[in-house]
Amino acid sequence: MDDRIARTRVPIHPDVAARWSPRVLDPDADVSAAQLTALLEAARWAATWGGRQPVRFVVGRRGDETFTTLAGTLRRGNSWATAASALILVCADEGDDDRTARYAAVDAGAAMANLSIEAVSRDLVVHPMAGFDTDAAQQAFAVPAGVRALAIVAVGRLGDATAAAPEVAERDARPRERLPVDEIAFARTWGSPADLAGGD
């Protein structure tokens, strides 16, 4: 879908430009064990502060008990994700202090980013979600104390928007938007745009 490609000031890697988070998923598509393994390998090799490697995953494939349990924790607004081929709970071991906990969350974000780009490279789509019952997920999978459930990532293939619920299809059809670089990258003082003109 060319209208989903990110509009950027300069070209970026095609898989990064093509990454988006659709809600319309193909309920009949399967994701193979090899594909899921590749996504987790990409996540595993994300940057990690101090070599801690605090990120952990609970992986369910459609039809198995883990998937059903994860789907059961989703908030009503994310019920569309039951059409996913797999659901992945992303957790982070927060360690012993606030500093370690902060960087564990950074590591989890990096892992999800790597996973997302690997998915695009394999013609898959992913959608990370914060809308789930974290306490229920922690309890259901006996997540240890000090490890926080942060997100559930839906994995699958793009579905047919004409067959989707109208409110879900409408959200997927909205234009992709991001703040321009001048509004997010600063120099000298906060809010003063970084000087990016004239460079190669």
Side-chain angles (χ1 to χ4, degrees):
M1 298 178 63
D2 289 343
D3 63 334
R4 300 285 92 189
I5 302 298
R7 296 182 306 277
T8 58
R9 184 183 292 184
V10 298
I12 61 175
H13 193 287
D15 288 346
V16 176
R19 188 225 57 83
W20 66 298
S21 300
R23 294 169 183 83
V24 178
L25 302 176
D26 182 346
D28 298 317
D30 288 322
V31 172
S32 70
Q35 289 170 320
L36 275 177
T37 301
L39 301 190
L40 295 168
E41 284 287 4
R44 182 170 76 96
W45 283 101
T48 179
W49 175 68
R52 278 194 72 238
Q53 302 175 62
V55 187
R56 300 290 182 271
F57 307 93
V58 177
V59 183
R61 295 173 72 184
R62 188 194 305 115
D64 71 20
E65 181 181 355
T66 301
F67 183 100
T68 301
T69 302
L70 285 170
T73 70
L74 294 172
R75 301 289 186 207
R76 187 174 64 178
N78 286 329
S79 60
W80 54 265
T82 58
S85 305
L87 294 172
I88 301 174
L89 177 67
V90 181
C91 304
D93 180 340
E94 297 190 306
D96 300 325
D97 55 49
D98 287 345
R99 183 170 184 244
T100 304
R102 179 168 61 250
Y103 286 108
V106 171
D107 282 5
M112 285 190 285
N114 270 24
L115 184 154
S116 297
I117 301 307
E118 183 66 27
V120 173
S121 78
R122 294 172 178 273
D123 295 321
L124 299 172
V125 293
V126 300
H127 190 123
M129 299 168 284
F132 70 104
D133 185 334
T134 56
D135 291 338
Q138 299 256 161
Q139 183 175 1
F141 298 107
V143 177
V147 178
R148 177 175 290 194
L150 295 173
I152 293 178
V153 180
V155 181
R157 294 196 183 276
L158 194 61
D160 179 3
T162 63
E167 65 276 10
V168 175
E170 185 275 329
R171 291 179 77 183
D172 272 11
R174 292 176 187 169
R176 294 186 65 204
E177 296 179 351
R178 290 292 189 274
L179 294 172
V181 170
D182 289 347
E183 293 183 27
I184 64 167
F186 309 137
R188 297 174 301 283
T189 187
W190 190 266
S192 175
D195 182 9
L196 301 174
D200 289 333

